[in-house]
Amino acid sequence: MYFTYVLQSLKDRRYYYGSASNLEERLKAHNAGKVRSTKSRRPLKIIYYETFDSRSEAYRRELFFKSKEGYEWLKKEGIIR
């Protein structure tokens, strides 16, 4: 199983979009400072995730979240502000 997720920084309230095969371990890596793009924004919390059967599906969804249309969808669904 693979995950696409949205994290929110508790420090600056900004969002991070990603995908991983182990969501719990990936969150631990983010909060341990092992992910360069979120290291200075710790701590982070998961605010939304979806599950997929393949890595490629999860990655496609991550790219969607990072697009303008994905951002608008996340706002419309009340996932982000």
Side-chain angles (χ1 to χ4, degrees):
M1 188 177 323
Y2 296 90
F3 301 88
T4 301
Y5 58 89
V6 179
L7 302 179
Q8 185 175 28
S9 166
L10 299 178
K11 181 178 181 181
D12 64 13
R13 310 303 291 171
R14 293 176 56 204
Y15 302 100
Y16 176 87
Y17 313 102
S19 57
S21 59
N22 185 326
L23 187 55
E24 187 176 312
E25 288 300 315
R26 188 64 176 157
L27 179 61
K28 286 180 185 177
H30 279 287
N31 281 320
K34 295 180 181 178
V35 179
R36 185 183 314 170
S37 58
T38 58
K39 186 175 184 174
S40 66
R41 299 167 55 198
R42 298 177 286 160
L44 296 118
K45 67 176 180 175
I46 297 171
I47 61 166
Y48 181 75
Y49 70 92
E50 295 176 355
T51 59
F52 298 92
D53 292 328
S54 72
R55 179 180 302 220
S56 62
E57 288 175 300
Y59 183 66
R60 276 195 302 273
R61 190 64 168 171
E62 175 187 345
L63 292 179
F64 172 71
F65 286 169
K66 291 177 177 180
S67 72
K68 182 179 180 189
E69 294 82 12
Y71 175 79
E72 290 170 359
W73 182 86
L74 288 164
K75 284 190 82 164
K76 184 183 119 206
E77 296 298 316
I79 297 165
I80 64 173
R81 294 181 183 221

